[in-house]
Amino acid sequence: MKKISILGSTGSIGTQTLEIVRAQKDIEITALAAGSNIELLEKQIREFSPAIACVWDEEKARMLAASVRDLSVKVVSGMDGLIEAATEPEAELVVTAVVGMIGIRPTIAAMEAGKDIALANKETLVTAGHIIMPLAGEKKVKILPVDSEHSAIFQCLNGERENKIHKILLTASGGPFRGKTRKELEHVTVEDALRHPNWSMGRKITIDSSTMVNKGLEVMEAKWLFGVEIDQIQVVIQPKSIIHSMVEFEDGAVMAQMGTPDMKLPIQYALYYPERRMLSGPRLDFWTMGQITFEKPDAENFPGLKLACQAGRRGGSLPTVFNAANEKAVAEFLAGRISYLSITDLIQGAMESHKVKENPSVEEILEAEAEAYEYIESR
Ligand code: NDP
Ligand code: MG
């Protein structure tokens, strides 16, 4: 039995990971962590019997502890609890599926404890890639990408480790507003932005997909995972999300990974790598698919990608400011307090007002995060 812990078990990636565990029947769950959804977490505890369950919210953790008194599970809370869940001694692999920069410290703690990481939490790599990647080498732990594009690139590199990557072709659907102008985007509502054409995901990443900020975060994520320069990564719009990304080698050969837009494939691949297992669900049908089309991203109306590339090229604490400003601005947009276009305007403002720190430590990353939050609150 393989033993795994899941941080963010009640979310979109977390629940799909548990669906795979349920179907495959040969994985044991050692720890589960959530933010505040104790109703679902309790059901998960009763079904999967983890040794540790973490709830970020202290009050909610107390309520959960009371309702699972009949079980042997240890209920913990806050950052200390999240780190305890991430380092549960029996686990071999930790799925990091919390949303946002909150993932940095537990991910580092899990790696220091020698655990492989199935990484969904891209914000961690964007802000602390310069800490995470060398640490993975030092501790000899694997970072297995869960993000569909990065899993696709990872799959395209099978058997090619000795060959240099010439270029990564990172595909994007373009989101629900592809083809719209800034003028048309002025009065976009939360509901409009949450209507992704192909993927069903958590709220934050769905908004990020609509602004192209998600693709920008993924460019930085790919830079760290595959050791390439930002300018070796070309974003290509491919509206149907059939090609999940491609790699071009030095001889011009291009490898692509294709599939239906279902996150269970990259999640399962990360859990069992390098083994492929049966996965039920719809398959691609090349007789009925028709065309797969490609476009250049619209930098004019969707500045999120361009800002991310700027942040990624400059490095240091700037990617943190890009990411933190986005996290804060998206939360404000979801709460109905700012307009849609303000999201990328605020990111740009926060980046312009920031004095970059080279090679930031975890503390300095968290300081840059707080600075970006303050900037947005002051606007
Ligand atoms: P969701 O919003 O659906 O889920 C987030 C999870 O994190 C929930 O379990 C939530 O708990 C938990 N959580 C939130 N805050 C805390 C906290 N402070 N402490 C502990 N747990 C917390 O997000 P997604 O599953 O969509 O995304 C998760 C990550 O994966 C993100 O980084 C995203 O970018 C990435 N990703 C997601 C994809 C997808 O298809 N969804 C695709 C590629 C990457 P609660 O339910 O209690 O709030
Ligand atoms: Mg993705």
Side-chain angles (χ1 to χ4, degrees):
M1 286 288 250
K2 188 167 191 151
K3 296 178 178 171
I4 73 165
S5 296
I6 307 173
L7 311 182
S9 66
T10 53
S12 161
I13 296 288
T15 52
Q16 292 181 86
T17 305
L18 286 172
E19 276 178 49
I20 292 164
V21 171
R22 191 179 290 125
Q24 295 292 340
K25 301 186 171 64
D26 62 354
I27 291 180
E28 197 177 312
I29 299 293
T30 44
L32 295 174
S36 61
N37 185 351
I38 54 173
E39 291 74 26
L40 180 54
L41 186 58
E42 179 179 344
K43 282 197 193 119
Q44 294 178 342
I45 294 169
R46 292 192 183 278
E47 180 176 359
F48 296 100
S49 314
I52 298 179
C54 176
V55 185
W56 180 260
D57 185 292
E58 220 175 294
E59 178 57 34
K60 290 272 174 79
R62 261 195 297 274
M63 288 161 66
L64 178 70
S67 51
V68 295
R69 260 192 317 252
D70 57 317
L71 305 173
S72 62
V73 62
K74 178 177 178 193
V75 178
V76 294
S77 74
M79 183 50 82
D80 289 346
L82 200 51
I83 290 175
E84 195 173 339
T87 56
E88 196 286 330
E90 296 274 303
E92 298 152 56
L93 175 140
V94 177
V95 180
T96 62
V98 293
V99 58
M101 287 174 65
I102 193 104
I104 297 177
R105 294 184 54 206
T107 304
I108 291 176
M111 292 168 74
E112 278 172 343
K115 314 213 183 279
D116 291 333
I117 305 292
L119 184 115
N121 181 240
K122 61 188 83 181
E123 297 90 343
T124 286
L125 213 47
V126 166
T127 56
H130 59 289
I131 298 171
I132 301 282
M133 295 316 288
L135 184 63
E138 191 188 309
K139 298 288 173 190
K140 298 194 170 46
V141 298
K142 293 191 200 77
I143 308 277
L144 300 153
V146 167
D147 210 342
S148 59
E149 294 77 1
H150 304 75
S151 175
I153 297 162
F154 189 66
Q155 292 175 59
C156 291
L157 291 173
N158 270 333
E160 303 279 3
R161 305 283 161 194
E162 302 301 313
N163 291 321
K164 255 171 78 182
I165 296 173
H166 184 64
K167 196 171 162 183
I168 284 177
L169 295 145
L170 191 72
T171 53
S173 71
F177 305 136
R178 184 173 59 92
K180 295 227 183 299
T181 62
R182 266 178 91 75
K183 185 96 198 82
E184 291 169 307
L185 293 173
E186 256 169 24
H187 301 294
V188 156
T189 65
V190 170
E191 236 171 52
D192 298 332
L194 285 175
R195 219 172 284 127
H196 196 282
N198 308 333
W199 296 96
S200 153
M201 311 180 282
R203 285 158 66 86
K204 189 245 173 195
I205 184 175
T206 305
I207 302 295
D208 291 353
S209 299
S210 78
T211 57
M212 291 296 281
V213 163
N214 180 52
K215 212 44 61 179
L217 294 171
E218 291 183 354
V219 167
M220 293 189 261
E221 188 185 6
K223 167 194 139 110
W224 288 116
L225 283 171
F226 306 110
V228 295
E229 299 299 325
I230 295 288
D231 294 310
Q232 278 176 284
I233 304 167
Q234 183 180 11
V235 174
V236 181
I237 305 286
Q238 190 263 292
K240 282 186 182 171
S241 302
I242 288 169
I243 298 178
H244 298 309
S245 276
M246 302 178 263
V247 176
E248 184 187 316
F249 293 96
E250 289 195 300
D251 59 359
V254 177
M255 301 291 280
Q257 187 261 334
M258 302 188 223
T260 54
D262 180 355
M263 283 308 295
K264 286 212 272 306
L265 193 157
I267 297 171
Q268 181 170 292
Y269 193 71
L271 295 182
Y272 289 103
Y273 171 79
E275 190 188 343
R276 288 190 189 274
R277 291 268 179 114
M278 185 63 197
L279 180 63
S280 58
R283 298 291 168 104
L284 290 182
D285 179 352
F286 288 83
W287 282 357
T288 56
M289 182 189 301
Q291 286 174 322
I292 306 179
T293 59
F294 303 95
E295 293 166 22
K296 187 178 171 184
D298 174 357
E300 197 75 17
N301 294 298
F302 298 86
L305 177 57
K306 195 175 61 199
L307 290 168
C309 291
Q310 269 170 28
R313 264 185 223 106
R314 179 63 187 84
S317 54
L318 201 55
T320 294
V321 170
F322 172 88
N323 179 70
N326 178 61
E327 283 186 23
K328 178 75 176 155
V330 168
E332 295 292 319
F333 173 68
L334 284 170
R337 285 192 290 264
I338 64 168
S339 72
Y340 182 73
L341 290 179
S342 306
I343 299 172
T344 42
D345 291 348
L346 286 166
I347 297 173
Q348 185 170 358
M351 281 172 64
E352 282 165 3
S353 78
H354 178 67
K355 194 166 166 302
V356 178
K357 195 153 224 156
E358 305 302 338
N359 242 321
S361 64
V362 172
E363 287 68 38
E364 288 167 333
I365 289 170
L366 299 177
E367 276 164 33
E369 176 192 38
E371 184 199 306
Y373 273 40
E374 270 164 37
Y375 170 85
I376 290 183
E377 263 153 27
S378 75
R379 294 293 117 166

